[in-house]
Amino acid sequence: MARDTVLSFTEKGLYCPAGDFFIDPWRPVDRALITHGHADHARPGHARYLCTKGAAPTMRHRLGEIDVQTVTYGDKLTLGDATVSFHPAGHVPGSAQIRVEVAGEVWVVSGDYKTTPDGLSEPFEPVACHAFITESTFGLPVFHWRPQEEVAAELNAWWRDSLAAGKRPVLGAYSLGKAQRLLSLLDPEIGPILTHGAVEAMTAILRDEQGYDLPPTVPVTPDTDPKAYPDALLLAPPSAVGSAWSRRFGPASTGFASGWMQLRGVRRRRAMDRGFVISDHADWDGLHAAIKETGAEKVFVTHGYTDIFTRWLNDQGYQARVVETEYTGDDGEGE
Amino acid sequence: MKRFARLFARIDQTTKTTVKVAALAEYFREAPPDDKLWTVALFSGRRPRRAITTTKLREWAAEKAGVPLWLFEEAYPIVGDLAETIALILPPASRQTDATLSDWIAHLRALTDRDEEARKAGILDAWDQLDPTERFLFNKLLTGGFRIGISQKLMTRALSQATGRDEAEMAHRLMGDWTPDSVTWETLIEAEDASADASRPYPFYLAYPLEDAPESLGPPEDWHAEWKWDGIRGQLILREGEHFVWSRGEELMTDRFPELARAIDFLPSGTVIDGEILAWDAEAPLPFNALQKRIGRKTVPKTLLKEAPVIVYAYDLLEEHGQDLRDHPFAQRRDRLASILTDLPPEAPLRLSPTIPFTDWQALSDTRDTARDARAEGLMLKKLDSPYLSGRKKGDWWKWKLDPLTIDAVMIYAQQGSGRRANLFTDFTFAVWQGNDLVPFTKAYSGLTDEEFRKITAWVRKNTLQRFGPVRQVKPEHVFEIAFEGIHESPRHKSGLALRFPRMSRWRHDKPVQEANSLADLRAILEAHG
């Protein structure tokens, strides 16, 4: 029976009895291993945090004074009777899958992940295991991401067209992860990129402290003169798009980037002028490829289209089941 | 198809009416006549005969995509649209084509006479040369229902811009029983003398809800009041010895209401009446529930004709002796209507919807409170000197509905929405108390703000007790005020009751679950208003 006890699913989160730690718990615990800094995975209130070197600075920024220990991808750590290591998840810069080994049995918690490289996050690395814990945010066969350079071309064309039509392009994106990915896709030749405070804070940490390759940005302050930046694009959290903050830059053409933009209905509900299909989660084919490459027999599905995806996995011969968690993945609503 | 796809993308990418109209007007100036004609036809609810059943389309799409059919069927309600589901699930096209919208329609029509194998090959071949937007639109041709955010009003405005003709004239030209085979772009839109066919209805004039106090409308003597009936708005056309019945949604309903055929025996040709189709028990309207049985039935069994016979409760006269009366003041039209209906015998399937006399707004407001006793939803107020306009225009016609009935209920099940609301929990089941049990009695989907839907979605995820397929049983913790327009007995429901137009009118954060209403409370409402 030891085979089943690598991780158990508790009311506080995923728990490893052999090492006495939790992974991405949603209630305060003594020791929390964190896959990445998004709010549904890295929550406040734990006594001790453990995460990658890449994830720690933005987590500190979000959570304030926390007791955090960092590791490098691939380093093996012994916690009690468990051996733990972090491996790139390709979701956002610094994000990790967490490999837990107890008595020769290996489980991998993937947090949120995507399998195609985005040129910014450390590319997803398949980790062989007996049991794989996966998300399924886009676990339906209608979700297929097009190559990133095609969407980048659409984005930049929209920037140019908006300026030509006398409109200010205002692009909404999560401040951690999605915003920086968009920055890396936008063409600084067209004009300067003005950033909202929340986006700028995360960008500054990743670019200036951690050395990720991101273009220069101009943080918007109350003194910023819109007339001084006729060609600029505004990058802001979704909640700021259409707010007084963006309105002072004149009539806008609004855009939003998310995997949900694949669905016309969701695109229409957001009521943005343009929706760009860019996701930091795996699409249908990506989920599969990832699961297959782990060689796992057992799959636990944590968030997204859990029931449907689980049934499909069982049809494919996996032993899959749904695990209730409080992760939201990308709920398409922004922060 | 590329030009049509570009038009669609421009319309779909914007929320601004002016941009949509400009895109359409440009298309109507530049596209080939056959494409333009089909575009008008599609956007006004006309479509080519269905070449393939949707069952086959699903099977072929799932097969081509390499997914089991059940998985396709699970994805479909989440996407919310069959044409879109197919467009998204298929692998990318391997080639491109310059075929136009009308070319593709011709291609589809040619397929209808072929055997299944040939039809399948024709469809798979099409899917393989269309980009995702073109594919979505092609599928829309197959699945029907081209509802893509273009209202008739928007289209007539664009046509008016493109042709320089009056908007109201355009609206009228587009009405009626035409198809792209029976007309050309020239005869429908451009010809000087639009020789209308006998069935062509007038565009309906629609009322706005009255939200301010009625005093805001000015002196009572300028206004006419009558009950707002809870039936089906319809236009009865008597021309050239034939009769036609049109719904407000421009659907020809002539065959559904055979008893209205007798109207020709009592009124002359060249008469067009606007009114309410109601189930009728010789003296008064029956509850909407009776009419409901008639809706959706293309042929009506004899017993139902007896059980729920319909009449037209007439409230406006749009044409008399073949003459368009819409520019005449309402008071005049109403007088003429009264005079042609006054002496009709009881077997005539028409009655005059009575005027409610009043001299001050307060007295009228008191009358309105008794609307449910009259089997009405409230009052209609019409300005006596107003012409019959087209579409929803503010100022001359107001609907002044009763406040809805309400009950406080507990949310017990939740399900994810589809389409616009694919990633939110939006479909809920509500219960009331019966002793210590919660008895489900209604579902509701609307009434909350996006923000509230987001909040309840987060809560549902954390408070699921059990799953039944897509349905989640949730902790009985939240009370909502459910508003509805009517209530009736229904043996099919566990509670024995069914509501009309239920929606969530308020999230009662202030109410503990124990204080939600009971089944006895609902029964009391049924006694009072059912």
Side-chain angles (χ1 to χ4, degrees):
Chain A
M1 288 306 289
R3 285 176 64 87
D4 283 330
T5 58
V6 173
L7 292 173
S8 55
F9 304 105
T10 75
E11 292 203 338
K12 292 179 176 174
L14 313 184
Y15 177 65
C16 176
D20 191 23
F21 60 82
F22 286 85
I23 297 176
D24 292 354
W26 46 86
R27 299 278 177 277
V29 300
D30 176 47
R31 178 157 224 179
L33 276 57
I34 305 292
T35 59
H36 66 286
H38 281 151
D40 55 328
H41 292 262
R43 293 175 191 254
H46 309 309
R48 290 178 294 162
Y49 291 77
L50 176 63
C51 65
T52 66
K53 285 200 165 55
T58 47
M59 253 171 65
R60 277 208 194 89
H61 177 84
R62 277 200 41 246
L63 300 177
E65 281 303 307
I66 51 171
D67 173 0
V68 53
Q69 179 192 347
T70 61
V71 290
T72 305
Y73 287 121
D75 280 1
K76 289 203 167 164
L77 236 79
T78 305
L79 298 175
D81 294 330
T83 307
V84 172
S85 53
F86 288 61
H87 306 267
H91 176 55
V92 296
S95 68
Q97 313 172 67
I98 300 178
R99 179 186 186 276
V100 184
E101 179 173 352
V102 178
E105 170 86 1
V106 178
W107 287 32
V108 170
V109 178
S110 53
D112 292 333
Y113 65 93
K114 72 170 175 289
T115 49
T116 47
D118 61 15
L120 188 66
S121 312
E122 299 75 10
F124 179 86
E125 173 192 312
V127 180
C129 58
H130 300 101
F132 187 62
I133 293 154
T134 184
E135 59 148 319
S136 62
T137 305
F138 294 107
L140 288 179
V142 293
F143 294 108
H144 302 284
W145 310 149
R146 285 156 57 216
Q148 165 162 300
E149 50 293 1
E150 287 182 30
V151 191
E154 269 179 22
L155 258 177
N156 289 311
W158 164 71
W159 185 354
R160 286 195 187 90
D161 294 347
S162 302
L163 295 178
K167 296 284 172 69
R168 172 75 64 182
V170 182
L171 186 56
Y174 292 78
S175 53
L176 172 57
K178 184 65 64 65
Q180 291 75 32
R181 182 166 176 205
L182 294 173
L183 276 174
S184 73
L185 300 180
L186 289 165
D187 179 1
E189 297 288 306
I190 304 174
I193 300 163
L194 300 187
T195 49
H196 181 275
V199 169
E200 183 60 23
M202 293 298 176
T203 304
I205 294 170
L206 290 168
R207 179 188 54 208
D208 307 337
E209 287 182 32
Q210 298 182 255
Y212 285 97
D213 181 18
L214 292 167
T217 49
V218 182
V220 172
T221 67
D223 302 328
T224 306
D225 174 14
K227 290 196 191 70
Y229 302 96
D231 298 334
L233 172 143
L234 252 63
L235 185 60
S239 55
V241 175
S243 70
W245 179 85
S246 71
R247 277 201 301 274
R248 75 187 179 96
F249 288 89
S253 173
T254 54
F256 184 60
S258 161
W260 291 107
M261 294 296 106
Q262 179 104 296
L263 299 186
R264 181 168 172 262
V266 181
R267 221 156 51 223
R268 289 166 64 78
R269 175 159 56 77
R270 296 289 321 199
M272 298 267 185
D273 294 317
R274 290 294 297 274
F276 299 98
V277 185
I278 302 178
S279 180
D280 288 322
H281 295 264
D283 66 0
W284 175 253
D285 297 323
L287 287 168
H288 279 266
I291 292 167
K292 198 167 171 200
E293 281 192 84
T294 63
E297 289 165 11
K298 254 187 235 167
V299 182
F300 298 97
V301 185
T302 53
H303 54 295
Y305 289 106
T306 50
D307 300 276
I308 300 170
F309 193 60
T310 301
R311 179 173 167 197
W312 192 85
L313 288 173
N314 281 315
D315 275 9
Q316 304 302 303
Y318 294 98
Q319 295 172 46
R321 80 174 170 90
V322 180
V323 176
E324 295 291 344
T325 66
E326 292 188 11
Y327 309 137
T328 55
D330 176 359
D331 59 7
E333 303 303 331
E335 285 160 68
Chain B
M1 198 69 145
K2 295 220 181 304
R3 189 197 293 267
F4 186 58
R6 255 196 325 272
L7 168 69
F8 168 77
R10 284 181 68 188
I11 291 168
D12 204 44
Q13 274 170 10
T14 183
T15 51
K16 294 177 187 73
T17 317
T18 47
V19 179
K20 289 185 188 186
V21 171
L24 265 173
E26 189 184 314
Y27 180 87
F28 288 138
R29 276 191 288 262
E30 292 171 2
D34 282 355
D35 277 18
K36 291 194 281 194
L37 181 61
W38 266 110
T39 301
V40 172
L42 293 168
F43 288 173
S44 61
R46 294 163 177 86
R47 58 183 182 83
R49 194 155 66 89
R50 182 164 287 182
I52 320 282
T53 64
T54 56
T55 315
K56 286 288 164 210
L57 287 177
R58 295 166 200 222
E59 279 175 26
W60 300 342
E63 185 189 317
K64 180 78 187 165
V67 302
L69 193 59
W70 72 261
L71 183 53
F72 181 95
E73 298 295 348
E74 289 282 0
Y76 167 31
I78 292 165
V79 175
D81 182 286
L82 184 60
E84 188 183 354
T85 310
I86 294 173
L88 291 177
I89 216 162
L90 291 168
S94 71
R95 55 195 209 280
Q96 294 224 352
T97 172
D98 287 328
T100 65
L101 170 65
S102 20
D103 292 340
W104 280 114
I105 290 169
H107 174 74
L108 281 180
R109 292 177 139 191
L111 286 182
T112 49
D113 302 325
R114 309 285 302 279
D115 63 15
E116 187 176 317
E117 207 177 317
R119 277 183 287 160
K120 181 174 176 180
I123 297 296
L124 289 179
D125 187 53
W127 283 340
D128 197 37
Q129 46 188 314
L130 296 169
D131 77 22
T133 307
E134 294 176 284
R135 212 188 245 169
F136 168 69
L137 296 167
F138 175 79
N139 292 341
K140 278 278 175 201
L141 297 173
L142 291 163
T143 57
F146 235 95
R147 271 183 231 98
I148 54 169
I150 304 291
S151 64
Q152 191 88 351
K153 194 169 165 181
L154 237 147
M155 190 160 63
T156 52
R157 193 177 303 164
L159 282 168
S160 150
Q161 280 184 14
T163 60
R165 286 171 187 276
D166 184 53
E167 231 178 286
E169 186 204 330
M170 275 301 146
H172 194 197
R173 277 173 180 254
L174 295 190
M175 301 290 286
D177 205 12
W178 61 272
T179 70
D181 295 324
S182 71
V183 298
T184 63
W185 175 258
E186 168 68 24
T187 59
L188 183 74
I189 303 295
E190 292 181 338
E192 275 312 319
D193 174 36
S195 52
D197 74 296
S199 75
R200 180 184 283 182
Y202 293 102
F204 282 83
Y205 182 28
L206 307 173
Y208 255 88
L210 181 67
E211 271 146 18
D212 297 337
E215 284 77 9
S216 64
L217 300 178
E221 55 272 23
D222 291 349
W223 293 85
H224 159 94
E226 62 192 282
W227 292 119
K228 180 180 185 324
W229 301 107
D230 187 11
I232 299 169
R233 177 89 181 268
Q235 203 175 118
L236 175 65
I237 294 175
L238 308 174
R239 282 187 197 132
E240 297 171 18
E242 282 190 277
H243 84 290
F244 306 92
V245 184
W246 288 94
S247 77
R248 211 191 80 179
E250 253 197 88
E251 196 185 350
L252 196 54
M253 308 186 292
T254 314
D255 298 337
R256 295 192 191 180
F257 303 111
E259 52 268 72
L260 301 183
R262 293 205 62 191
I264 321 176
D265 303 341
F266 303 98
L267 293 171
S269 262
T271 304
V272 176
I273 284 171
D274 183 10
E276 197 88 356
I277 298 167
L278 290 168
W280 187 257
D281 79 347
E283 280 172 13
L286 289 162
F288 187 82
N289 197 23
L291 186 62
Q292 190 125 42
K293 295 177 193 157
R294 300 279 306 259
I295 297 174
R297 276 184 182 271
K298 296 236 156 146
T299 56
V300 194
K302 278 215 174 93
T303 48
L304 199 52
L305 277 177
K306 211 170 236 175
E307 220 176 281
V310 302
I311 61 145
V312 172
Y313 229 11
Y315 37 68
D316 213 326
L317 184 65
L318 309 185
E319 182 178 312
E320 190 183 25
H321 310 306
Q323 189 204 348
D324 182 348
L325 296 185
R326 293 176 300 157
D327 284 340
H328 293 56
F330 173 75
Q332 246 184 55
R333 299 197 308 270
R334 171 86 197 184
D335 282 347
R336 292 207 197 178
L337 178 70
S339 71
I340 64 171
L341 296 179
T342 343
D343 294 325
L344 293 189
E347 63 268 29
L350 290 128
R351 302 276 184 288
L352 179 67
S353 172
T355 299
I356 298 173
F358 71 105
T359 48
D360 70 277
W361 291 117
Q362 186 50 51
L364 189 63
S365 176
D366 295 342
T367 309
R368 167 175 166 266
D369 293 340
T370 66
R372 281 199 180 90
D373 301 332
R375 296 246 157 88
E377 295 182 301
L379 291 173
M380 288 295 306
L381 302 173
K382 297 176 181 175
K383 200 146 192 240
L384 287 166
D385 63 3
S386 63
Y388 190 93
L389 301 173
S390 73
R392 202 181 293 282
K393 301 218 169 60
K394 232 174 200 161
D396 291 339
W397 280 25
W398 297 95
K399 49 183 173 187
W400 191 21
K401 287 172 76 161
L402 279 179
D403 295 331
L405 300 163
T406 61
I407 190 119
D408 290 330
V410 184
M411 175 184 292
I412 55 169
Y413 299 106
Q415 196 173 347
Q416 287 201 15
S418 65
R420 275 166 68 77
R421 315 197 292 187
N423 48 350
L424 295 174
F425 280 86
T426 58
D427 300 3
F428 306 109
T429 302
F430 293 93
V432 283
W433 292 106
Q434 184 178 31
N436 290 324
D437 296 329
L438 281 167
V439 185
F441 70 102
T442 192
K443 285 186 163 199
Y445 316 90
S446 63
L448 299 187
T449 61
D450 278 4
E451 181 55 32
E452 286 173 316
F453 276 127
R454 276 198 285 277
K455 275 195 185 142
I456 199 74
T457 294
W459 180 86
V460 167
R461 291 210 171 106
K462 291 180 195 169
N463 291 279
T464 298
L465 299 176
Q466 239 186 314
R467 294 169 181 238
F468 308 95
V471 179
R472 293 173 178 227
Q473 186 185 5
V474 296
K475 274 188 203 152
E477 192 176 303
H478 287 292
V479 176
F480 287 80
E481 181 184 86
I482 305 295
F484 52 100
E485 298 301 320
I487 180 167
H488 56 89
E489 299 262 12
S490 168
R492 289 188 299 129
H493 291 82
K494 204 172 184 175
S495 61
L497 298 164
L499 306 187
R500 185 151 146 72
F501 290 145
R503 68 263 181 195
M504 294 164 272
S505 48
R506 213 146 44 110
W507 187 344
R508 297 295 308 258
H509 294 283
D510 56 317
K511 250 198 180 179
V513 177
Q514 295 73 22
E515 287 174 27
N517 283 112
S518 66
L519 193 57
D521 297 333
L522 263 181
R523 288 245 148 234
I525 300 178
L526 177 71
E527 294 309 317
H529 302 291

